[in-house]
Amino acid sequence: MRLPFLIMLGLLVSATGSAQSVPAAMPPASPGLPKPSTPTSSLRNYALRLKPGQDLHQELLAFAAQHQLRAAAVLTCVGSLTTTTLRLANQEGPTQYHGHFEIVSLVGTLSVNGSHLHLAVADSTGRTIGGHLLNGSLVYTTAELVIGELPELDFRREPDPTYGYRELTVYPAPKAGRKAKPSPKRP
């Protein structure tokens, strides 16, 4: 039991240093079939703290724009909110909750080409609710975040024919001096 913990701790410590490549796990190729290709990237980490009254969603989008993040993910977030605004599963519009909420999870992808963030919060009884993070989720005491940037990748949101939603597509980052094709605009 102690050895697996020490191995995981070692991996975590090495991942928090300077940018490092993380090889993608790929299944072995079957004879006669093309080898699968999964883009990989090093990881650059950012740590930030939001203060009372700041809008969690707006601040994350502004951070992505300020740092020109083409491919990033929320690695962790803890904190609290006084207002939580979510789009719940299979609902069209926002649902807003007022009170004091602990952030128990914030996950998703960030990109100047479109972001996709899910938030889960718990109230004072431990009741938990979650959905798509929207504008209007206001920090109560703090929101402490670690963002991981994948500088060799380019996340884009493109229409998926299955349901018509704009879903994640992953490309290699554009080479220096060459502009990337922008993501299609929302209808």
Side-chain angles (χ1 to χ4, degrees):
M1 180 69 177
R2 187 178 171 115
L3 183 59
F5 172 76
L6 291 175
I7 291 170
M8 289 301 292
L9 182 61
L11 290 172
L12 180 62
V13 168
S14 69
T16 59
S18 60
Q20 298 183 4
S21 288
V22 179
M26 295 188 353
S30 299
L33 294 178
K35 193 181 248 186
S37 175
T38 302
T40 63
S41 178
S42 59
L43 181 66
R44 180 179 303 134
N45 299 307
Y46 298 89
L48 64 144
R49 176 181 175 226
L50 302 183
K51 297 188 177 174
Q54 290 184 290
D55 185 299
L56 182 59
H57 188 249
Q58 288 179 11
E59 293 296 329
L60 282 168
L61 298 183
F63 184 85
Q66 176 187 359
H67 294 280
Q68 284 299 294
L69 300 179
R70 299 192 68 78
V74 176
L75 301 178
T76 190
C77 175
V78 295
S80 58
L81 302 173
T82 55
T83 302
T84 301
T85 307
L86 303 171
R87 185 180 59 76
L88 304 176
N90 211 30
Q91 300 296 311
E92 289 296 319
T95 301
Q96 197 166 73
Y97 303 90
H98 299 278
H100 293 113
F101 304 96
E102 290 292 329
I103 299 169
V104 295
S105 178
L106 175 60
V107 297
T109 55
L110 282 169
S111 174
V112 292
N113 297 316
S115 299
H116 188 179
L117 300 162
H118 286 194
L119 174 73
V121 295
D123 66 14
S124 62
T125 67
R127 189 186 109 212
T128 303
I129 187 82
H132 290 267
L133 175 64
L134 300 176
N135 289 342
S137 295
L138 304 179
V139 174
Y140 176 40
T141 60
T142 190
E144 302 163 5
L145 295 122
V146 178
I147 309 291
E149 179 187 14
L150 303 156
E152 288 90 25
L153 299 179
D154 185 12
F155 290 170
R156 300 182 201 165
R157 313 293 309 169
E158 296 178 348
D160 182 288
T162 308
Y163 292 101
Y165 295 117
R166 293 179 64 230
E167 301 291 358
L168 178 70
T169 54
V170 180
Y171 293 94
K175 302 286 186 222
R178 193 175 82 202
K179 282 195 137 187
K181 177 184 136 197
S183 287
K185 298 293 179 201
R186 291 181 186 212

